[in-house]
Amino acid sequence: MNSSPLRVLIIEDDFRITRMHGKYIEMNKDFVLTGIAQNYAEAFDLINGQAPDLLLLDIYLPDRSGIELLRTLRSLGVPSDTILITASNESDIVEEGLRLGVFGYLIKPFDLDHLQNTLAKYAQFKRRLTSSAELNQDLLNDLMKLRAPKESSSHQFNKGIDEKTLKLIQSCIQHATDLVTTEEITRMAGVSLSTVRNYLKYLLRENMIDEFLQYGTIGRPQKLYCMKKQ
């Protein structure tokens, strides 16, 4: 890696988080903060104008989701690496992020040490990747260890899935008159919210349902579900 610091763009609508991230990046000689975007549109414009090396990308943005932005960037061939900021119960999003090539994750709530460790791994990854004239298997193995490991396998994801409960959740979604929320499915099925979330993750992974995000004026978007059309 050359002596120039790595350019970082923060994409986050919470000013408290951007302030914390920004202060740390400004104190780190390996990085330089090139800008802050608070929504999808701002982020897209800044990425095109600045070509940052690294994005600190929150999943939830006021206008569209961070995953949508990442999909768009990959389809356009934008090479910026990404550290995804997400919530701990969103294994479906984590899995899609891995498919889209994210470098790592910050799981909310997280502390400065976690941010520092993830950025240090990224700086080491870039330094080793760009300073080696030739790549060999040992170096590639070391580089892959620095990237985010895959956190779920099919076996782990299917753990705890009961056939009767699965059919109950499917029936609630199928017989709803409109798109349904997690809370509505919970009331219809008479099971816990955590159980419904677990089964929704399974159904999404198996491509049996569709998930949509409904954006309001404030707060996080609401997730809505329906069965896949045959």
Side-chain angles (χ1 to χ4, degrees):
M1 185 172 68
N2 58 37
S3 58
S4 300
L6 295 161
R7 303 180 305 278
V8 182
L9 174 65
I10 297 174
I11 307 170
E12 165 69 64
D13 67 336
D14 188 327
F15 74 92
R16 293 166 298 182
I17 295 177
T18 58
R19 183 186 303 167
M20 179 183 72
H21 291 177
K23 284 184 177 179
Y24 175 75
I25 290 169
E26 289 170 349
M27 293 187 299
N28 192 316
K29 62 181 178 60
D30 289 325
F31 300 95
V32 60
L33 180 63
T34 62
I36 295 172
Q38 295 185 316
N39 56 51
Y40 180 106
E42 287 181 6
F44 191 79
D45 289 342
L46 287 174
I47 291 166
N48 283 331
Q50 298 177 355
D53 298 295
L54 178 65
L55 310 176
L56 289 184
L57 175 61
D58 192 5
I59 285 294
Y60 292 111
L61 301 173
D63 45 359
R64 297 171 70 177
S65 76
I67 282 289
E68 288 182 83
L69 175 62
L70 192 53
R71 288 193 203 113
T72 300
L73 297 177
R74 293 297 176 255
S75 69
L76 295 174
V78 176
S80 299
D81 293 313
T82 304
I83 293 174
L84 206 60
I85 301 171
T86 183
S88 60
N89 64 348
E90 297 170 318
S91 60
D92 53 322
I93 291 178
V94 170
E95 196 162 9
E96 181 167 7
L98 286 167
R99 289 196 296 269
L100 291 169
V102 302
F103 179 83
Y105 292 89
L106 293 173
I107 307 296
K108 290 182 176 180
F110 57 87
D111 55 28
L112 190 59
D113 288 340
H114 194 173
L115 172 63
Q116 181 178 356
N117 183 55
T118 304
L119 289 174
K121 284 183 177 181
Y122 177 71
Q124 183 182 357
F125 176 86
K126 293 292 285 186
R127 186 163 51 244
R128 295 196 64 184
L129 180 63
T130 57
S131 64
S132 301
E134 294 184 4
L135 296 178
N136 56 51
Q137 190 63 57
D138 289 339
L139 176 58
L140 286 173
N141 290 342
D142 289 342
L143 290 173
M144 293 307 296
K145 289 176 183 177
L146 292 171
R147 296 183 66 91
K150 187 161 184 175
E151 297 183 5
S152 62
S153 64
S154 295
H155 175 72
Q156 291 171 324
F157 205 90
N158 296 350
K159 185 178 180 181
I161 298 298
D162 173 74
E163 185 177 357
K164 289 183 178 180
T165 306
L166 179 62
K167 288 182 178 179
L168 174 62
I169 301 296
Q170 287 177 288
S171 177
C172 291
I173 300 172
Q174 188 172 9
H175 292 96
T177 56
D178 202 349
L179 298 174
V180 287
T181 66
T182 306
E183 291 75 13
E184 288 170 337
I185 298 169
T186 298
R187 289 195 295 270
M188 289 187 286
V191 297
S192 70
L193 187 61
S194 60
T195 296
V196 171
R197 285 174 175 163
N198 187 42
Y199 280 82
L200 288 175
K201 291 172 187 176
Y202 173 80
L203 290 168
L204 283 166
R205 182 182 180 279
E206 296 299 314
N207 201 31
M208 299 169 71
I209 61 173
D210 284 319
E211 179 185 76
F212 302 90
L213 295 179
Q214 183 179 66
Y215 291 89
T217 55
I218 58 173
R220 291 185 172 185
Q222 188 175 44
K223 293 182 179 181
L224 303 171
Y225 301 93
C226 69
M227 297 301 298
K228 282 276 188 185
K229 294 182 179 179
Q230 301 297 324

